[in-house]
Amino acid sequence: MFAVSAAAVLVCMVLAMLRAVLGPTAYDRVLALNNIGTKTVVLIAVLGFVNGRPDFLDLALAYALINFIGTIAVLKYIEYGDLGASAPRETGTE
Amino acid sequence: MMGDIVTVVVWLLLLSGGFFMVTGSLGMVRLPDVFTRMHAAGMVDTMGAGLTLAGLCVYSLHDGTGLVAVRLVLVLGFLWFTSPIATHAVAKAALSGGTTPYTVGDARLRAGQAGAGPDGAGEGRTGAAPDSTRKAPAEDERGRGDR
């Protein structure tokens, strides 16, 4: 039964990768990559159960951390053009 | 007996998690702009990953490896904390980057383009939005219409 779940996650990763390739703006691509990372975490966890070695869950936890930090870093680079920049005060629409 | 019940529950959780995940991924491909795709992506993060990991958690609890269930709960809690933050960051960056959300007016415009459309609706739209990020979704829609 875990193989079925792993296959579903793989199909969904293909769909999200399609959006990452097609996506007209950079934000679409970042969103799709973040989503692929989430699905990778689930895939690692499920594959651990498929192989009967749930020790892979530590890898899933580490991958979730890396995915989150990576998404935030890429977004900061897109928004400010500099990873070391401090965020300016917003004077805008929000 | 107990094992049968646990198997049925795990199957139900894994299948419903897979359903939500496929639905969210289809929405990410089909929906018209970043903000609506964000909505679909949130469904994958919350219900898809949540139900799938809950199924694994039930299985490992019945299997007698309690520490695995604790780690699954840790992974799930971390995902549920970080994915709204990441989605919020994407939305904030997209708004400050000049993307405007897809509205009912855009949908009407698109329906007009799909029909006879002799009124030059496409030119009117790109002319009304001179900056480049505004123009990008319109190009995407045109590509989808050709497909």
Side-chain angles (χ1 to χ4, degrees), chain A:
Chain A
M1 62 184 135
F2 301 121
V4 175
S5 190
V9 176
L10 279 176
V11 169
C12 295
M13 284 171 83
V14 169
L15 287 174
M17 184 61 87
L18 192 65
R19 175 46 65 198
V21 172
L22 286 178
T25 65
Y27 309 111
D28 288 295
R29 300 180 207 274
V30 173
L31 188 68
L33 284 185
N34 182 31
N35 212 327
I36 288 174
T38 303
K39 285 164 190 163
T40 308
V41 172
V42 178
L43 183 68
I44 292 172
V46 173
L47 278 186
F49 279 82
V50 168
N51 294 331
R53 292 175 57 196
D55 312 320
F56 286 175
L57 283 173
D58 297 332
L59 301 183
L61 196 53
Y63 198 88
L65 283 158
I66 293 171
N67 182 38
F68 175 62
I69 298 297
T71 304
I72 296 296
V74 171
L75 275 176
K76 184 173 182 184
Y77 185 71
I78 291 175
E79 198 170 359
Y80 302 121
D82 183 9
L83 280 182
S86 61
R89 289 286 98 202
E90 302 274 340
T91 59
T93 54
E94 294 106 325

Side-chain angles (χ1 to χ4, degrees), chain B residues 51-120:
Chain B
L51 286 175
T52 307
L53 291 183
L56 297 184
C57 202
V58 170
Y59 181 83
S60 67
L61 273 181
H62 177 255
D63 217 25
T65 49
L67 205 57
V68 173
V70 171
R71 277 185 286 181
L72 277 168
V73 170
L74 273 181
V75 172
L76 191 54
F78 195 79
L79 276 185
W80 278 356
F81 268 104
T82 56
S83 92
I85 298 174
T87 309
H88 176 82
V90 173
K92 189 167 163 290
L95 273 179
S96 73
T99 311
T100 51
Y102 184 85
T103 56
V104 180
D106 292 338
R108 288 207 187 105
L109 210 59
R110 201 167 143 190
Q113 278 177 1
D119 50 355

